Amino acid sequence: MAHRTAWLLRVNRLYGRADEWTRGYAFARAFPGGSWPLPADPSRVSRWETARTDVPYGAVVRYEELLGLAPGLLTSAIDTVNRYVTPAPGPLLSRPGPDGGPPGQRTADLLDAVTSRTVVAAADWDDLTATLTARPGLWLRPGDWYTLCERLLTETVISDGTGWKQRFEAFSRLLHHPAAQRHAIAACADAAHVPDAQALVETVCLLDTSAHADAAHHVLAQLRDPVNDDAFHGALLACVRKLAHGHFTPEQAGAVSAVCADLLHDTSVRYDDARALAAVLLGSVAPEDLVPSAHAALRRGLPGTGGPPPVPADPWLVRRVADATVAALPREIPRFEDAVLPVLVREVLYAPVSDVRMHAALLLAATPYRAPLARALKTEVVRSPGTRLLLRLLTALRNLGADTERPWAERLVLHPLTPAPVAGAAAQALGHLGGRSDDTFWTAAIARHTPLPGSTNRAGVHVLRGLVYALGMSGDTVRLAGLAGSRAQPDEVRAPARWWGRVPAHLRFGAPDRPDGCPPD
């Protein structure tokens, strides 16, 4: 992760808005000040940007200040990706520690805010949980711990952009906090038993960072008897890291292998990469922990077990996308060839585990590559369409896209020949793209996918659920209420619309961090 952190700083400096910062000497001369009061020189900047020296938190914040970036853009990306790649995240971006005295007034005020109906910003959650991590002995009543964890979890699943990354990292800290972890795990487990809740994939998958026995228990419960397909997929994703980091007992790992062996032949699971994930997981279980059916599947050879073949990587497509992205940047940098960009593009499109694809997209979204990369990816997939590649592009656009991609996603939702999984992914992407869809679109989209009375065709239900998600993320409470009360809609659509209606207003107004700055309706 240190090398990718160094890369993130370097490409933001070289390809940022100001030409003057491409010269290391000028950048280093301006560096002291703001969040970095210490001296700096070109050698120190070079060591940070080549990973020869770990970069401190204050220095990353200073990059944001000097480069004119949104506060938290770089720090939140580094925190989130480091959390994923490191079994027990170390102090890669450790915050300045407390002075050893009693908690300050700001901490007390934040604790009051998060246990009340006060709106709390993502940066405040970042500050509060950093303080709680530095003070593991800070006392709170058990009910307050649960209230804090439950609220933060809800805000996380309805957030976007930098606000999501900051809240995601904040919640992950609580999953490692000695006093908070059981309450954080319980909040995830309780939320996962609400079938109409949104973002159950994320809610269950969050448990992958915790080595606590309760987390393993709840992941296995959703693997064996899931509340729905979303919770099952979240449990599968959680198993990737939990197996890799040794969170399961041998018996639990064997139970995972049994589920995966059965899944390889199951064509009823909605997520198209579920069986590919099962193959990855079987390869991660120690041979002595595999159950007989898993041994049999491995003897037959995973490629021939009935799961879908992996999306074949096209190195020429990756190269074209990377070249087109660099060509659209505001300047050329002599003697600099970015070797990391094509690696991340390849991960975004072809990594078999969706969390790996997402974290690659998160890093790229925190760079000047974001907008030209989204255009280049869209151009390539439109040029040679394929359903599975298109699904991955639409997922990537949740982090990389902006208002310029919104009309394209709308057309996919409305076009009569768009496959239902693609239309559903496009509908969900609308919840993360900038701009607003007008009344004409929403009316046409809902009518287009609402099943006819007495119809047994359920293809449109998945798309409608994606539209409900997008409406919830955009704060459109009026349309959500209409869907929740519509007798024309199946319960699988009305239920999540009702869930959004139950989210308290102070959470809905505080959580969204939209790229276009639009407030909720």
Side-chain angles (χ1 to χ4, degrees):
M1 182 56 202
H3 287 282
R4 292 194 173 185
T5 298
W7 166 86
L8 183 67
L9 299 179
R10 191 176 191 187
V11 297
N12 270 284
R13 177 176 65 82
L14 293 179
Y15 293 125
R17 302 169 189 167
D19 290 336
E20 61 183 312
W21 300 140
T22 61
R23 298 183 295 276
Y25 176 78
F27 187 72
R29 186 173 57 186
F31 204 80
S35 65
W36 187 260
L38 303 176
D41 55 61
S43 175
R44 171 172 279 186
V45 170
S46 175
R47 291 197 299 274
W48 285 338
E49 294 185 3
T50 54
R52 286 178 289 169
T53 302
D54 287 341
V55 58
Y57 171 77
V60 179
V61 175
R62 186 57 178 157
Y63 268 80
E64 293 173 348
E65 294 168 350
L66 273 180
L67 298 176
L69 302 174
L73 179 71
L74 301 182
T75 56
S76 64
I78 294 168
D79 280 338
T80 303
V81 178
N82 182 55
R83 177 71 61 179
Y84 184 74
V85 301
T86 309
L92 183 63
L93 281 188
S94 59
R95 276 45 171 177
D99 58 10
Q105 187 60 47
R106 173 167 166 74
T107 300
D109 290 344
L110 286 176
L111 285 171
D112 286 341
V114 300
T115 53
S116 69
R117 298 182 68 83
T118 304
V119 172
V120 179
D124 292 335
W125 281 111
D126 185 30
D127 290 346
L128 175 61
T129 54
T131 300
L132 294 175
T133 298
R135 296 178 178 277
L138 188 63
W139 185 85
L140 277 129
R141 292 175 299 180
D144 287 344
W145 275 124
Y146 184 85
T147 298
L148 184 155
C149 293
E150 183 183 42
R151 172 176 179 163
L152 179 53
L153 177 63
T154 301
E155 287 195 23
T156 300
V157 301
I158 65 174
S159 294
D160 190 25
T162 296
W164 176 81
K165 293 192 288 287
Q166 289 178 319
R167 290 182 175 90
F168 184 89
E169 169 61 16
F171 194 87
S172 297
R173 291 172 188 159
L174 296 180
L175 283 166
H176 285 269
H177 190 281
Q181 61 180 331
R182 297 191 71 153
H183 304 284
I185 293 168
C188 287
D190 291 346
H193 282 89
V194 180
D196 60 355
Q198 294 282 269
L200 283 188
V201 175
E202 180 181 339
T203 298
V204 178
C205 189
L206 262 167
L207 295 173
D208 68 354
T209 191
S210 173
H212 196 282
D214 288 354
H217 167 78
H218 290 300
V219 168
L220 281 174
Q222 291 296 345
L223 204 63
R224 289 165 164 159
D225 186 22
V227 68
N228 58 25
D229 278 352
D230 290 345
F232 180 71
H233 193 239
L236 279 177
L237 285 171
C239 289
V240 174
R241 292 184 73 220
K242 297 190 83 63
L243 283 170
H245 299 159
H247 293 177
F248 288 135
T249 66
E251 293 76 15
Q252 290 173 329
V256 172
S257 75
V259 171
C260 292
D262 292 340
L263 182 60
L264 287 171
H265 305 283
D266 186 354
T267 59
S268 65
V269 178
R270 191 184 77 198
Y271 285 89
D272 80 305
D273 63 346
R275 285 178 287 161
L277 263 178
V280 170
L281 293 173
L282 276 180
S284 301
V285 177
E288 61 272 19
D289 296 335
L290 292 167
V291 298
S293 61
H295 275 296
L298 288 171
R299 282 196 302 271
R300 290 193 297 269
L302 291 177
T305 56
V311 177
D314 182 347
W316 296 107
L317 185 150
V318 171
R319 186 73 262 171
R320 285 197 307 271
V321 167
D323 288 347
T325 301
V326 172
L329 292 171
R331 66 185 66 90
E332 291 187 18
I333 306 297
R335 299 183 300 279
F336 175 65
E337 181 178 354
D338 191 344
V340 176
L341 174 61
V343 173
L344 291 174
V345 171
R346 184 186 180 94
E347 288 180 8
V348 164
L349 292 176
Y350 299 115
V353 177
S354 59
D355 273 353
V356 174
R357 301 196 295 270
M358 180 189 74
H359 284 87
L362 285 175
L363 268 186
L364 289 163
T367 71
Y369 292 137
R370 176 176 182 166
L373 175 58
R375 292 194 298 269
L377 285 170
K378 188 174 70 174
T379 298
E380 284 294 336
V381 177
V382 169
R383 179 184 299 170
S384 53
T387 296
R388 295 183 69 198
L389 201 58
L390 188 52
L391 285 170
R392 294 190 176 187
L393 169 65
L394 287 164
T395 302
L397 285 181
R398 294 172 66 159
N399 294 300
L400 296 170
D403 56 350
T404 51
E405 280 71 47
R406 193 174 193 89
W408 179 65
E410 289 177 347
R411 289 194 296 272
L412 286 174
V413 172
L414 293 176
H415 199 288
L417 297 182
T418 303
V422 173
Q428 282 211 335
L430 291 173
H432 299 270
L433 299 175
R436 291 277 180 165
S437 297
D438 59 23
D439 290 345
T440 302
F441 166 76
W442 289 115
T443 301
I446 292 170
R448 162 84 180 83
H449 295 285
T450 298
L452 295 173
S455 172
T456 59
N457 184 358
R458 313 298 288 172
V461 172
H462 175 57
V463 184
L464 287 165
R465 287 175 63 88
L467 292 171
V468 167
Y469 175 82
L471 289 167
M473 292 296 290
S474 64
D476 193 334
T477 55
V478 174
R479 280 195 181 83
L480 286 169
L483 287 169
S486 172
R487 294 185 177 182
Q489 297 297 336
D491 190 57
E492 299 100 309
V493 176
R494 295 197 305 270
R498 289 194 296 267
W499 181 88
W500 281 103
R502 295 197 302 270
V503 175
H506 64 285
L507 303 191
R508 287 191 285 106
F509 279 79
D513 295 84
R514 294 181 176 78
D516 60 351
C518 294
D521 291 338

